[in-house]
Amino acid sequence: MTGQGQSASGSSAWSTVFRHVRYENLVAGVSGGVLSNLALHPLDLVKIRFAVSDGLELRPKYKGILHCLTTIWKLDGLRGLYQGVTPNVWGAGLSWGLYFFFYNAIKSYKTEGRAERLEATEYLVSAAEAGICSWTVWNITRCPPVYGI
C-alpha cells in the first residue's frame, strides 16, 4: 500500500471517529463553568469561612452570610471576596467544558440515522456516560502520579 493510500484511509477513520464532535459545546461548557464560578465564588468563600469557624477565638465569628460578606469586604475589599478563585475557575471551566463536550458527542452518536428523538432514559444514560468520561479525563490530568502516568 502506498503512503498516500494510508493517509487517505487514516484521515477517513479520524473523520468517522470525530464526526460527532462539536467544539462549540466545549466552549459553551467552559464559558458556563467559568462565569458561574466567578458569580458564585464569594458565596463559596463564605461557606468555607463558616466551615473553619469552629468557635475558636482566633478566627472571626460571623453572625450570618451578609455579615460575613461585609466583614470580608471591609477588611480585604473585592480581592478578599475572590481569594482563591483561580483554581476554582480552572477546575469548573475544564470539568464543565469536558462534560458538555462528551454529552453532546454521545447524544449525536446515538441519534445518528434515527428519525425519532432519544427516550428519556437514553438522555440519562448519555449524561451518565458523559459524566464518567469527563471525570476520568479530569482525574487523570490532575493526578498523573496516582495513575502511573
Side-chain angles (χ1 to χ4, degrees):
M1 198 173 223
T2 66
Q4 193 177 31
Q6 289 173 346
S7 175
S9 66
S11 66
S12 66
W14 280 111
S15 64
T16 303
V17 170
F18 291 108
R19 172 180 33 204
H20 306 287
V21 173
R22 300 272 186 249
Y23 294 103
E24 297 89 1
N25 298 315
L26 176 69
V27 172
V30 168
S31 302
V34 167
L35 291 175
S36 67
N37 199 283
L38 288 175
L40 298 173
H41 185 75
L43 293 177
D44 194 36
L45 181 68
V46 168
K47 175 191 74 168
I48 293 167
R49 294 281 176 103
F50 281 140
V52 298
S53 180
D54 55 4
L56 297 176
E57 294 297 323
L58 300 174
R59 296 187 183 109
K61 295 182 180 180
Y62 303 110
K63 299 173 187 168
I65 294 173
L66 288 178
H67 181 254
C68 182
L69 286 170
T70 55
T71 303
I72 295 170
W73 179 265
K74 287 176 185 174
L75 293 176
D76 300 320
L78 186 63
R79 185 179 180 134
L81 288 174
Y82 284 92
Q83 187 176 20
V85 74
T86 304
N88 287 348
V89 164
W90 275 99
L94 180 62
S95 62
W96 281 111
L98 288 172
Y99 175 79
F100 278 102
F101 177 77
F102 287 126
Y103 177 65
N104 286 294
I106 291 168
K107 279 192 331 179
S108 177
Y109 175 75
K110 288 182 177 182
T111 57
E112 183 181 26
R114 291 175 63 170
E116 68 277 352
R117 294 178 51 156
L118 294 176
E119 299 284 329
T121 55
E122 291 174 306
Y123 280 112
L124 291 173
V125 170
S126 298
E129 291 168 343
I132 291 168
C133 290
S134 60
W135 177 80
T136 303
V137 171
W138 173 244
N139 282 331
I140 288 175
T141 57
R142 277 184 59 208
C143 310
V146 173
Y147 298 101
I149 298 171

